Amino acid sequence: MRIRAWNAYASNNSGSYLIVGAFREAAVAAEVARELADVAARHTAWLDALKTPGPSPLADLARSLGVPHDPDTDDVWPDDEVPAVWASGHQLFVHVDETISMPRLFGHAIYARGGRVQTELDHAHGPIVVRFEVWFSWQKRSELDIPALVRDIVDDLARPGGVVDLASPHITPAWRFAGERAPFGEPDLEIGAAFPDLAAGFAAVYAAATAHGAGVRVRVSEHHGHGDPFAELRPSLPAPRVELVDLWLDDVGLAPTEIVRATSRIAGLPYARARALIDRAPVVLRRTISRARGEALQRELAAGHAVTSLRVVAP
């Protein structure tokens, strides 16, 4: 009898894609974002219609901009997702959760419209972590109560439906105020977060900052899972005046299969890892969320007769 053994590696061929462009004027970034969002939606529809006769929307865009485009190599496109395109201030973002790659045309379009590409994450398998640099204008800061405004921004981050609720269950957001006299060129407030829905998370941070007269710059990177990407921002200061809680599973209750499914959704875990997690109860399922979000998750778990509690996060 002959026995053969093989050792092989396999992986998911899809990763996430994100390109960040920057423009001199926010209005131009918004205009280019609208243009690229329209093209992305039309190109997806064109592919769904099995490539109707005529050039693709991407080819039309390349021709209008006078930039290179090879449909045989540049038309890599996600199967079941329309790329998300949005602008925040002077920056523009194109993001896809799962794809092999994306056409180089997006970078060409950013340059053709007078911008520049700041970052491109092509085929990222780790979570995308984001650092938001929040700053107040040097021309006006002498008239402003910076500490009070920063505290207002932090309160907005912590409100129900805000950044703490939108953040990834695997990476707790953090922030740090630089003090009343931030070094020249450094942000007044730095916020670190990762989001399942990048566009929604970006919108929440941008809304909180601009509502209080601050500007925002964004830096993105791929986190490879080694340690806390925001360790130097912890503990988060200033502490919000809004109550935050951790959601604990104290006892699985009478329907463990239902609790595993709910835990998988709540904690963002595969079924097997969710099963292993609840077997260790009492365990924390979500950290640092609003009380309203915690109570909603408690109701979801109550359908499976789980025993849960909300524990206030110490400021």
Side-chain angles (χ1 to χ4, degrees), residues 187-272:
D188 292 290
L189 174 68
E190 187 170 1
I191 303 164
F195 301 102
D197 185 336
L198 271 185
F202 277 54
V205 174
Y206 189 72
T210 56
H212 301 288
V216 183
R217 290 185 296 260
V218 174
R219 301 182 188 276
V220 299
S221 61
E222 180 184 2
H223 181 53
H224 296 285
H226 304 297
D228 181 356
F230 307 125
E232 74 278 14
L233 300 180
R234 305 189 196 280
S236 295
L237 296 172
R241 291 167 290 193
V242 180
E243 184 180 66
L244 297 176
V245 299
D246 293 337
L247 169 66
W248 282 76
L249 175 66
D250 298 314
D251 189 86
V252 173
L254 303 176
T257 300
E258 291 301 316
I259 300 306
V260 174
R261 293 195 184 107
T263 297
S264 179
R265 293 190 299 271
I266 291 168
L269 296 172
Y271 186 91

Side-chain angles (χ1 to χ4, degrees), residues 73-108:
T73 59
D74 285 356
D75 277 358
V76 181
W77 201 256
D79 289 332
D80 302 309
E81 182 181 354
V82 178
V85 186
W86 70 95
S88 294
H90 290 70
Q91 291 176 292
L92 173 148
F93 306 88
V94 181
H95 176 246
V96 183
D97 275 327
E98 292 187 11
T99 185
I100 300 300
S101 184
M102 284 292 283
R104 293 174 296 173
L105 178 59
F106 285 100
H108 284 307

Side-chain angles (χ1 to χ4, degrees), residues 19-58:
I19 191 169
V20 183
F23 296 83
R24 289 185 179 276
E25 298 180 9
V28 176
E31 179 185 347
V32 177
R34 285 192 295 269
E35 178 183 30
L36 294 183
D38 175 67
V39 169
R42 289 191 291 109
H43 191 73
T44 298
W46 182 80
L47 290 174
D48 289 344
L50 299 178
K51 298 184 178 180
T52 52
S56 72
L58 289 185

